[in-house]
Amino acid sequence: MPKNSRPDNQPASPKRRRFLQWIAGATLLGTGATAAYGERVEANDLQVVHQDIAVAGWPAGTPPLRVGQLSDLHCDRAAALARARRAAEMLRAQRPDVVFLTGDYISEKPLRWAAPAAQALAPLTAVPGGVFCILGNHDWTNFRWRPGDAGIVARALSEVGFTVLRNDAAPLPQAPGVWLIGLDDRFAGKQDVARALRDVLPGACKILLVHEPDYADEAPPGFALQLSGHSHGGQIRLPGLPPLHVPKYSTHYPEGLQQGPHHPIYTTRGIGMIGPQMRLFCPPEVTVLNLHAA
Ligand SMILES: [Fe+2]
């Protein structure tokens, strides 16, 4: 049989070629449409998520506390700032008693973005119990995720009236007997739990804020609850499946309420994005937690 007469070497028939072209076109169109949906629709589809949590050791007689949580704003462009402003508005409308912010206000370039990010969130100072915040790994980066100076972000947050907890603790006046313990970033290796606990009264009900949820696996016992972000819930997911990818230190507790070795962890999907500016099957989350006695 001559070499060029083998069926494999024969050019596709016009009908088959048209079919293959149609498949390729549809795939390209589908991919483009999915990316456009993820970028223009779902990335801006902020959803309020309510979570009721019975907290072990909640002091007797202390009323329930309505906590607003935002995380991972990743303000690195005008669209992200607009999203952060809208998240703050949506959270205020939920009338929380107090607000906790769990890190990654920027993605990089703190001199460019820290102050605008803090300004976008500043309306939250109107919340009666105020705003307590911790830093995330991106707040410790300078340019292209190189280690930087988180002091720039911390100062910007303080200047709009937020309380920044960096290995520090504060009692919550609206919830007598409940203390908030805020760690500096685990990814950057800046956490110091012993230092953070130094002023906490014995017997206090302790709520831990730390950006990376998997810190729960190394945390000492004694915390009643941990609130974290960092994972973005995976950011890009397939329906009904666990996240395809989450960053280091968020693989064990990527989303929602889960139980760790010593205490429960709530991980919010957060608001912003890193890498491709899209979310799929993982919309941004404005979190409202109702904390009360177990
Ligand atoms: Fe992060």
Side-chain angles (χ1 to χ4, degrees):
M1 183 185 286
K3 197 179 174 191
N4 66 357
S5 68
R6 289 201 327 246
D8 284 356
N9 285 349
Q10 282 179 1
S13 69
K15 203 172 164 187
R16 181 175 158 80
R17 195 183 308 126
R18 272 199 304 278
F19 176 71
L20 291 173
Q21 284 170 341
W22 186 88
I23 291 284
T27 305
L28 270 176
L29 267 177
T31 307
T34 304
Y37 164 81
E39 185 181 336
R40 292 181 199 160
V41 179
E42 188 164 323
N44 294 304
D45 183 21
L46 277 66
Q47 297 187 357
V48 177
V49 173
H50 293 270
Q51 177 72 53
D52 193 79
I53 304 178
V55 181
W58 192 259
T62 294
L65 189 70
R66 189 171 168 86
V67 171
Q69 184 189 0
L70 295 181
S71 198
D72 298 85
L73 288 307
H74 287 286
C75 293
D76 57 1
R77 63 200 71 205
L81 284 176
R83 212 166 15 243
R85 274 191 288 272
R86 204 151 67 81
E89 274 169 32
M90 287 175 69
L91 188 55
R92 262 185 75 181
Q94 291 294 318
R95 307 179 75 81
D97 297 318
V98 64
V99 168
F100 302 157
L101 306 176
T102 43
D104 279 3
Y105 307 91
I106 61 167
S107 296
E108 58 178 13
K109 301 181 186 172
L111 285 171
R112 168 72 184 85
W113 293 109
Q119 285 295 337
L121 300 169
L124 289 170
T125 51
V127 168
V131 179
F132 294 87
C133 45
I134 56 165
L135 301 179
N137 54 316
H138 281 270
D139 303 314
W140 270 98
T141 56
N142 191 357
F143 183 75
R144 294 285 167 214
W145 305 299
R146 288 186 196 134
D149 175 10
I152 299 167
V153 178
R155 267 194 302 281
L157 296 167
S158 296
E159 279 170 11
V160 297
F162 299 169
T163 301
V164 185
L165 298 175
R166 299 179 71 179
N167 298 323
D168 213 343
L172 290 176
Q174 294 153 310
V178 179
W179 278 66
L180 196 58
I181 287 83
L183 292 192
D184 208 333
D185 186 58
R186 169 65 187 93
F187 210 114
K190 304 294 182 183
Q191 81 288 358
D192 184 342
V193 71
R195 183 180 157 80
L197 287 166
R198 67 195 183 283
D199 295 327
V200 179
L201 295 181
C205 175
K206 297 188 279 291
I207 298 174
L208 176 64
L209 302 185
V210 57
H211 181 66
E212 290 84 0
D214 288 2
Y215 176 78
D217 291 342
E218 61 190 90
F223 293 105
L225 173 67
Q226 174 183 322
L227 305 180
S228 297
H230 185 56
S231 69
H232 300 192
Q235 194 172 310
I236 294 172
R237 297 175 65 157
L238 293 173
L241 292 178
L244 302 170
H245 168 78
V246 288
K248 189 177 172 187
Y249 296 121
S250 63
T251 55
H252 293 170
Y253 311 102
E255 185 188 3
L257 188 62
Q258 293 178 269
Q259 182 61 44
H262 304 301
H263 57 250
I265 303 107
Y266 185 83
T267 307
T268 175
R269 295 192 300 267
I271 299 295
M273 289 156 287
I274 198 75
Q277 293 296 295
M278 60 154 70
R279 280 180 176 260
L280 278 180
F281 303 104
C282 189
E285 173 179 331
V286 173
T287 312
V288 180
L289 306 167
N290 181 40
L291 309 186
H292 58 85

